[in-house]
Amino acid sequence: MDPIKTGSFIKELRKNKGWTQEQMAEAFRVSRRTVSRWETGSNLPELDLLMEMADFFNVDLRELLDGERRAKKMEKELEETVLKVADYSSEEKRKWTRRMHFLFLAGFLAAVLHTVLIFTGHEDGALGSCCLGFACGILLVGVMMTGRYSAQIRAFKQRLLQRKNAGKPPIG
């Protein structure tokens, strides 16, 4: 608890009411000098007076002790949380995009290799079949993962992984 911050908040609340220090002193049965000491942070009100002030100024006791309204603090905390989530989301998207690019490159190379095998007359062998299958598989995965249903496919995958790991004890 910061007495100076609390005192400034008490002063702000008093001024918002349009009261002078004398009026506040009278309302809380203390001297004007006591109110001045509260507002400068050199002295703080007793707990019973703090509770009375919180009721009178319609603020939470924690707000009065912290020296600021919770809503402002919560807005700042919420903004920080949203920024962290956005950073995490963009990092995950970047990783996913990098993986997809790698897979597309591998599929493209398999298609090129298969084309070379066609021109050399070896496309019927195991290597030709493997290249063709891999290239077609990657093409299919690419269409599915970049289409409008990709989020649903990823969600389904996550549900499957959670079911699979449900019976296993946690690692660590």
Side-chain angles (χ1 to χ4, degrees):
M1 184 170 86
D2 183 1
I4 294 173
K5 197 172 180 182
T6 299
S8 295
F9 189 55
I10 291 172
K11 183 177 183 177
E12 178 186 328
L13 292 171
R14 175 182 62 79
K15 286 188 173 193
N16 286 344
K17 280 278 190 194
W19 278 17
T20 64
Q21 287 183 340
E22 290 84 15
Q23 290 171 316
M24 186 168 170
E26 202 173 297
F28 291 104
R29 300 165 307 281
V30 295
S31 70
R32 188 207 58 77
R33 187 172 183 178
T34 301
V35 172
S36 176
R37 288 182 181 154
W38 292 343
E39 290 180 357
T40 60
S42 61
N43 197 1
L44 286 175
E46 296 293 324
L47 182 60
D48 60 328
L49 278 176
L50 281 172
M51 292 176 13
E52 200 174 319
M53 277 185 212
D55 287 340
F56 180 77
F57 290 117
N58 198 26
V59 295
D60 191 76
L61 182 59
R62 288 174 291 187
E63 291 177 322
L64 201 53
L65 292 172
D66 288 342
E68 64 184 0
R69 294 213 182 261
R70 299 294 288 177
K72 289 180 183 176
K73 189 174 184 179
M74 288 175 68
E75 284 176 15
K76 183 169 177 58
E77 290 172 357
L78 178 63
E79 181 182 344
E80 289 173 2
T81 302
V82 167
L83 288 174
K84 286 179 185 176
V85 169
D87 286 345
Y88 176 77
S89 177
S90 63
E91 179 66 21
E92 286 298 308
K93 186 175 182 178
R94 188 182 60 76
K95 285 179 184 177
W96 185 79
T97 302
R98 189 180 316 147
R99 288 181 191 138
M100 291 305 295
H101 286 163
F102 175 75
L103 284 175
F104 283 144
L105 179 62
F108 177 75
L109 292 175
V112 167
L113 181 57
H114 186 260
T115 304
V116 168
L117 291 174
I118 289 174
F119 285 119
T120 60
H122 295 91
E123 75 273 7
D124 293 333
L127 184 60
S129 297
C130 187
C131 287
L132 181 61
F134 186 74
C136 290
I138 291 298
L139 180 63
L140 181 63
V141 167
V143 168
M144 288 183 351
M145 296 309 286
T146 58
R148 63 179 174 180
Y149 297 110
S150 65
Q152 293 172 349
I153 293 169
R154 277 182 278 178
F156 178 70
K157 177 185 160 192
Q158 289 299 321
R159 286 194 305 272
L160 286 178
L161 289 174
Q162 286 174 354
R163 265 192 230 147
K164 183 179 176 182
N165 294 331
K168 294 182 181 179
I171 298 173

